[in-house]
Structure formats: C-alpha cells, structure tokens
C-alpha cells in the first residue's frame, strides 16, 4: 500500500427520512479542522434515495466535495448495500481519513467497511487530531470503562477510520450558499444482490423524549432510593418543562427505562442546564454529561465525585431540597405571571 | 436442527477495576475476570432458540487459558459445546485480527457441523467497540445484523431469519437469509439463574482447545499484534474536573440561590408557556 495515494478527509453523511443526522454535521466541523491542518479537501459521502437536495447543506457545513450515491436501493439503511457504496468510493478516490458518527448505523457500516478494506477502525472516539506532516490521525477515546484515555494510531493502512461520539465535536456555523463540488456515483446493484430486506419500520407509538435534544435535564440516581422516590425527579422535571435523565444504577433498578440513561452506555447530552440528583458521579456517568452548560448537583455525601464535575453543588437530602426547589420555582413562576412578565 | 455459535469473551470487570496511576495500566489483580455481560445475553438467546427449534449451541472464545471459566459459565446458561482458541500468536489483536482468528475457528467448527447462525454480544466491556461481530460476518460473507433486540423467527428449511433491530426511535423488522450473524442488545432477554444440572455439567466440562496449528489456512501475518492495523500509542488519566461552588446556608437559602440561577436563564422556560 502506497500511503501517498490516499488524500483528503471524509465524513459519512448519515441521513434518515431525508434529514441529515446532527452528528454528521458535527463531524464536518471536526473534519474541516483536520483537513485545514493537513491542507487537503474535506469531502462528504452521502448515500440514500432521493437525497441529492441535501448536498447544499453538506457544503454549508464545511465540505468541499460530496460523493453521492442516490438510488432506490438505498431507501433503507442496510449494511450490505451501503457498505458496497462506501467501499466502491474508497477504492476509487482513496481517502486518508474517514470519520463516521458512533451511532448504531455509523458503527455498523464502519465495522463492515474496515473489514473489507482491511484497515484500522477506532471506536467511539472523543478527541481527534492529525499530524500535519504525515497525515497520521490521532484518535483518542476513553478505555476500560472510562478509567483511562487512550490514543489510537493506524500507521500502515489507509484510510484511517474512526467512529466519533455524537455531541462531542462542534458543527460550524452553516454558511448559506457556500458551494462545493458534487460527484454523482452509480453502482450496478440490484435487489437480488442484497440478502437482507427491511419488512417494516415501527416508530415507537408513545412519543419518547429525545433527552439528547433537551435544553434542561433533571437526572436522578440510586440516591432516590426507590421507584416511588424517583417520582420526585419527574415532578421537578414537569415543573421546569425539563426532560428526565438517569444514572445506570437507577435504570438497572428498574425505576426508569434505558433510553433515559445518561453516560457511556447511555446517551451523551449537552443541555443548557443539567441537574444531577442522588448521582455519585462515576466517570461513566460524567462522560455523558460533563459538557452541559450549567451543572447543578444535589447529593447527601459531601465527598461525592459529582461535586468535582458540577458548577454548583448542594450537600443535602434530595427529599428536602427538591421540594423546596419545586415550591420556590412555582412561586417565582406565579410572581412573574402576575407582573405580566414571562418566565 | 439448528447449529448456533455464540462468540463470547472473558473480560476484567471494569466496574471495580483499579488503575495504576503511575503507569496508567490496569491493575489486573484488582479486577476479577467475568464473562462479558453482553455475551451472556448472546448465549441465552442461542439457548432459547435451541429450545424453540431444536439444535445445538456452541460457544467460541479467543483468550488466555483461564478463559475456560467463561466457557463453563456459558455451559451453565445452557450451551452444549465450548471451543477455545488460545495461542501466543493471537496476543495483542485488535478487532480486525480478532475477527480473523475467530473466523478461522468458526470455519473449523463449521466443517464438522455446519453453522446456521452466529450470535455475538453488542460489545465487550474491555474492548468496547462492537466491531468484532460485523467483522466476522464480513469475513464469512454472511449478512451482519446488529442491534438485534428480538428474534421473531428462524426458518432453517426456507433459509431465513426475521428479527427486530433497534433504532433510535423504534425498531425495524428485517429479514435475512441464513446463515447470518446477530449482535444482540442486552434487552433481548434476561439471563436466569442456572439450573442445577447445568451447573454440575459445567463444573466438569472440558472445552475443545485449539492453538494456531490446529486451524487451517491461517495467514499468520494477519494474527495478533502483527495483524492489527491499530496500535495504542499512549494512555493518560482523564482530565479531572476542577469542581464548582458549594452552596452554603440553610436548605431554603440554597434552594433560593438555585432558583435565581434558573431565572437568569428565563428564555429556557418560555417555550413551555407558549405551548400552553
Ligand atoms: C462499562 C460501564 C459502563 C457504564 N455506563 C454508565 C452509564 O452510561 N451511565 C451511568 O450513569 N453509569 C454507568 N456505569 C455505572 C457507573 O459506574 C456507576 O455505577 C453509576 O453511574 C452509579 O449510579 P448512581 O450515581 O445513581 O449510584 P450510586 O453510585 O449508588 O450513587 C448514589 C448517590 O446518591 C447519594 N444519595 C443517597 N441518598 C441521597 C439522598 N436522599 N439525597 C441526595 N443524595 C443521596 C449518595 O451519596 C450517592 O452519591 C457504567 C459502568 C461500567 C463499568
Ligand atoms: N476474544 C473474543 N473471543 C470471542 N468473541 C469475541 C472476542 N472479542 C469479541 N468477541 C465477540 O464480539 C462482540 C463484540 O466485541 P467488541 O468488538 O470487542 O466490542 C463480543 O460481544 C463478542 O460476542
């Protein structure tokens, strides 16, 4: 393999129902920095069915080029069809670096592609850098349950691939009208070449709060003591119009469903305000919320690790403090309304 | 009769792991070795499918000799056979080299009894990538189905499987040809306490143990550290957060302080009122 043949930074543009996944825009932001440092173009790879109109958005967020595979066969994400498109593109245009969102789709696709291209893939990266001279990608990630950070290199193979956690990189401010080069590709691929079929897509009927999109999150942990105790979190969240988050131990106790779990094996969140109530602050929890705008912690134990990670901390019993907060906030709300101001 | 192989790994329990702060390496003696929790669900699902359709469940692991313990744990869950590949040559493998070695072992297992289905865990808690499962599927050129949270049907006669794959906002129903590979979510099942006869069988069970020489057509340059494109170049402790302001005063005063902090960000609360 001649490493010199491989050039450019690529981002897999994940889309669903004609909408680009936020993480792909974040990766265009991160990719732009790598590309500029290395002095190479930034490209997106977009696969789907009638998705050409998304090209403009990809350019607005920083890409110079977009490789497009637009065909009905790509209507649903399927590993086998998407993988063939990505591999085809890599073999033709040889990228040096290729980033994917660490979503279920991104991870599924990247794992398959890396195997066929026989190259290195670093999972769940949270920091990226590149050596301007050599183009070596430095992909860093938490390891051993978050106890250490490790930097992973792929020295001899190309492309250097990584999946990157949502919410850790920053998207650029979009520049409307920014232009780029659209390269349309075609793959002779028929339905008979694909061994899987999507029979049906079922959206969960009860509307689930996407906590990763919430402005305010009230999260509770094992310290709430019981499922009944955990209701306090729901009450407080209701009053604030917030979403409910939880530690893994609260989820494992069966007090709340898994999609509320914040942290390494849950969701990464960056709300403007994050309440951590009765949560000890284990590293696996912290990695999922430490970039929140304002972190307020309430815990009985003055030595709890969460106090190292918060902006404001209250040492106290949740069952005493939270009712005071609920009451006080409701009173403040009423006051504002009375004086005609909006809260 | 189905032949299902679950891929399992013995891992250090990262929950109670201690790090050596000087070297940033794991203090292995501090962490007991356990069956990767996600793989227990993979084995359990294989056993349930065996009970439903009839057949055999084998488990396969690559690891150092003490990993026999993890295989015994799988026998407790209800697996019939255990295979372990263990050799210096496998050491230091990343996900690409791991999937290569496991594929070679699967090919050998498949020679004596052809494999209909391979089940992997969602991820390991030490490697923590979820990449090995799809890697094996690609090498065997069978469809990889990740994020499987329910198996609807396996139909060996007609050669297909139907599963639910978890999505961010629901799930999709997917049909695949057999053989294929699943990576399963932990919500797919609950692993019950092992029945006594299984425990007795497990205690005495001796798995098939193979070294590299027992495998066929192996390209040794693709194994272990040599066959791994990725390397760990450095490790460091995660940055310690500096800590914030601890509020003082009576609980009531502290609560008031928080409320005034919230009211400084009024714009966040507006949306709710506008919604009605
Ligand atoms: C591989 C791996 C992945 C993991 N992923 C995650 C993850 O994604 N998310 C996650 O959260 N965890 C994760 N964990 C688990 C994590 O290590 C911790 O075990 C977990 O976060 C602890 O939850 P907790 O803080 O609710 O419980 P505890 O650690 O038990 O803390 C409870 C806290 O409540 C306080 N408390 C008790 N009573 C009260 C009261 N009345 N009022 C106020 N405070 C009170 C206590 O002082 C204590 O600090 C993971 C672990 C591993 C090994
Ligand atoms: N050394 C191994 N031996 C057997 N199976 C493994 C091994 N490593 C990974 N696996 C399987 O691949 C899955 C994903 O692992 P990982 O890519 O390490 O997160 C695990 O849940 C196992 O099913």
């Amino acid at each position: 393999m001649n490493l010199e043949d491989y050039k450019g930074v690529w981002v897999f543009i994940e889309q669903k129902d004609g909408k680009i996944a936020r993480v792909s825009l974040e990766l265009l932001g991160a990719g732009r920095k790598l590309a500029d440092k290395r002095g190479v173009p930034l490209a997106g790879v977009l696969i789907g069915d009638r998705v050409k109109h998304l090209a403009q958005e990809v350019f607005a967020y920083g890409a110079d080029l977009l490789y497009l595979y637009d065909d009905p066969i790509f209507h649903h994400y399927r590993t086998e069809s998407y993988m063939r498109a990505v591999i085809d593109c890599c073999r033709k245009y040889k990228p040096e670096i290729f980033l994917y969102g660490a979503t279920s789709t991104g991870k599924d696709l990247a794992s398959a592609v890396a195997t066929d291209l026989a190259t290195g893939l670093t999972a769940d990266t949270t920091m990226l850098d590149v050596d301007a001279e050599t183009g070596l990608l430095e992909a860093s990630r938490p390891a051993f349950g978050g106890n250490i950070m490790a930097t992973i290199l792929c020295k001899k193979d190309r492309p250097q691939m990584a999946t990157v956690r949502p919410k850790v990189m920053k998207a650029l401010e979009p520049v409307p009208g920014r232009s780029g080069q659209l390269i349309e590709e075609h793959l002779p691929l028929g339905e008979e070449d694909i061994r899987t079929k999507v029979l049906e897509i079922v959206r969960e009927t009860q509307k689930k709060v996407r906590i990763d999109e919430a402005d305010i999150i009230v999260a509770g942990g094992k310290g709430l003591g019981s499922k009944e105790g955990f209701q306090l979190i729901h009450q407080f969240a209701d009053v604030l119009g917030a979403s409910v988050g939880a530690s893994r131990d609260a989820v494992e106790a069966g007090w709340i469903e898994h999609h509320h779990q914040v942290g390494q094996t849950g969701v990464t969140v960056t709300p403007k305000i994050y309440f951590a109530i009765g949560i000890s602050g284990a590293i696996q929890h912290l990695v999922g919320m430490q970039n929140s705008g304002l972190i307020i912690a309430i815990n009985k134990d003055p030595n709890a690790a969460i106090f190292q990670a918060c902006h404001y901390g209250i040492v106290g019993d949740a069952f005493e403090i939270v009712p005071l907060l609920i009451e006080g906030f409701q009173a403040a709300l009423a006051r504002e309304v009375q004086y005609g101001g909006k809260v | 009769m189905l032949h299902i192989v679950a891929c399992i790994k013995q891992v250090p329990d990262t929950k109670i792991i201690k790090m050596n702060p000087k070297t940033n390496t794991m203090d292995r003696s501090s962490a007991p070795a356990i069956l990767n929790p996600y793989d227990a669900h993979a084995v359990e699902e294989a056993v349930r499918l065996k009970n439903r359709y009839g057949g055999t469940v084998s488990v396969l692991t690559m690891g150092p000799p003490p990993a026999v313990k993890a295989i015994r744990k799988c026998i407790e869950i209800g697996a019939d056979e255990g295979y372990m590949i263990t050799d210096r040559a496998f050491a230091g493998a990343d996900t690409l080299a791991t999937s290569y070695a496991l594929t070679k072992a699967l090919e050998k297992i498949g020679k004596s009894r052809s494999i209909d289905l391979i089940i992997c865990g969602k991820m390991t808690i030490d490697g923590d990538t979820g990449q090995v499962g799809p890697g094996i599927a690609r090498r065997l050129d069978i469809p990889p189905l990740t994020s499987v949270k329910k198996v609807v049907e396996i139909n060996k006669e007609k050669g297909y499987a139907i599963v639910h794959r978890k999505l961010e906002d629901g799930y999709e129903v997917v049909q695949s040809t057999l053989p294929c590979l699943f990576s399963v979510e932990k919500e797919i099942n609950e692993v019950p306490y092992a029945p006594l006869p299984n425990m007795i069988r497990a205690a005495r069970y001796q798995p098939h143990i193979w070294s590299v020489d027992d495998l066929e057509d192996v390209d040794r340059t693709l194994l272990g550290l040599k066959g791994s494109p990725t390397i760990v170049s450095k490790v460091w402790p995660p940055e310690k957060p500096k800590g914030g302001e601890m509020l003082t005063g009576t609980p009531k005063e502290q609560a008031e302080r928080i409320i005034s902090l919230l009211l400084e960000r009024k714009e966040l609360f507006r949306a709710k009122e506008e919604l009605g």
Side-chain angles (χ1 to χ4, degrees), chain A residues 247-270:
Chain A
S247 71
R248 186 170 89 168
D249 288 25
V251 171
E252 286 190 345
W255 302 345
I256 187 159
E257 292 154 289
H258 179 261
H259 64 267
H260 292 271
Q261 181 177 318
V262 173
Q264 189 183 322
T265 43
V267 224
T268 303
V269 297
T270 50

Side-chain angles (χ1 to χ4, degrees), chain B residues 2 30 45-46 85 95 114 137 163-164 193 211 222 240:
Chain B
L2 290 174
S30 76
E45 196 58 26
I85 54 170
T95 54
S114 74
V163 300
H164 290 181
Y193 287 106
S211 68
L222 300 181
K240 282 252 169 8

Side-chain angles (χ1 to χ4, degrees), chain A residues 25-328:
Chain A
L25 304 178
E26 293 163 8
L27 291 189
L28 286 173
R32 186 72 261 169
K33 280 200 198 124
L34 300 177
D36 289 345
K37 188 163 172 189
R38 178 83 173 126
V40 295
L42 173 68
V45 179
L46 175 63
I47 304 167
D49 177 18
R50 283 164 292 169
V51 290
K52 190 173 171 179
H53 64 282
L54 296 174
Q56 188 45 52
E57 192 177 349
V58 175
F59 297 137
Y61 277 90
D64 304 309
L65 296 161
L66 179 67
Y67 299 101
L68 174 71
Y69 290 79
D70 202 332
D71 189 294
I73 197 136
F74 302 123
H75 187 70
H76 293 297
Y77 172 77
R78 286 180 293 179
T79 319
E80 292 198 307
S81 53
Y82 275 56
M83 173 195 88
R84 296 228 203 158
V86 169
I87 292 171
D88 174 70
C89 206
C90 286
R91 295 218 161 110
K92 247 189 207 149
Y93 299 104
K94 300 188 174 15
E96 187 170 46
I97 292 173
F98 199 163
L99 309 176
Y100 306 71
T103 57
S104 32
T105 295
K107 294 179 80 151
D108 181 282
L109 178 63
S111 310
V113 170
T115 312
D116 278 57
L117 296 179
T119 190
L121 172 61
T122 304
D124 283 300
T125 311
T126 58
M127 288 164 69
L128 291 167
D129 201 359
V130 67
D131 184 312
E133 292 302 308
T134 60
L136 198 61
L137 179 71
E138 295 168 14
S140 305
R141 61 165 308 195
F144 294 127
N147 290 293
I148 53 166
M149 289 290 294
T151 302
I152 318 274
L153 306 177
C154 170
K155 288 188 168 163
K156 298 198 198 92
D157 298 278
R158 295 291 180 270
Q160 309 167 82
M161 308 217 303
T163 60
V164 183
R165 275 225 143 190
K167 295 268 176 178
V168 293
M169 303 295 161
K170 289 240 153 24
L172 300 171
E173 268 309 308
V175 180
R178 188 180 176 281
S179 66
Q181 190 189 350
L182 179 68
I183 300 157
E184 296 191 52
E185 292 291 331
H186 297 282
L187 203 60
L189 199 59
E191 203 46 58
E192 65 286 355
D193 300 320
I194 312 292
R195 294 170 290 184
T196 52
K197 257 189 197 51
V198 176
L199 303 179
E200 189 187 355
I201 296 203
V202 181
R203 312 265 187 232
E204 230 74 293
T205 40
Q206 102 228 65
K207 207 171 137 252
K208 279 189 180 159
V209 236
R210 296 282 308 262
I211 61 167
D212 55 341
E213 284 165 7
D215 273 338
I216 312 170
I217 292 175
V218 179
K222 207 60 196 291
L224 276 307
S226 64
K227 192 162 189 168
E228 293 69 45
F230 201 85
Q231 295 310 310
L232 188 64
I233 300 297
H234 289 286
Q235 285 165 20
F236 187 32
D238 270 354
V239 170
L240 295 180
S243 294
V244 173
S247 71
R248 186 170 89 168
D249 288 25
V251 171
E252 286 190 345
W255 302 345
I256 187 159
E257 292 154 289
H258 179 261
H259 64 267
H260 292 271
Q261 181 177 318
V262 173
Q264 189 183 322
T265 43
V267 224
T268 303
V269 297
T270 50
K272 304 221 167 65
I273 305 177
Y274 189 90
F275 280 94
I277 302 175
I279 292 177
S280 58
I283 183 81
Q284 297 87 0
H285 188 79
L286 299 185
V287 295
M289 45 63 79
Q290 62 199 358
N291 294 329
S292 305
L294 175 69
I295 300 170
I296 301 170
I298 303 170
N299 195 303
K300 262 204 315 219
D301 174 8
N303 297 318
I306 192 75
F307 289 131
Q308 299 304 310
C310 71
H311 299 97
Y312 295 95
I314 295 182
V315 178
D317 187 334
F319 295 100
E320 179 177 7
I321 305 289
V322 177
L324 287 173
L325 288 171
I326 293 176
E327 200 181 299

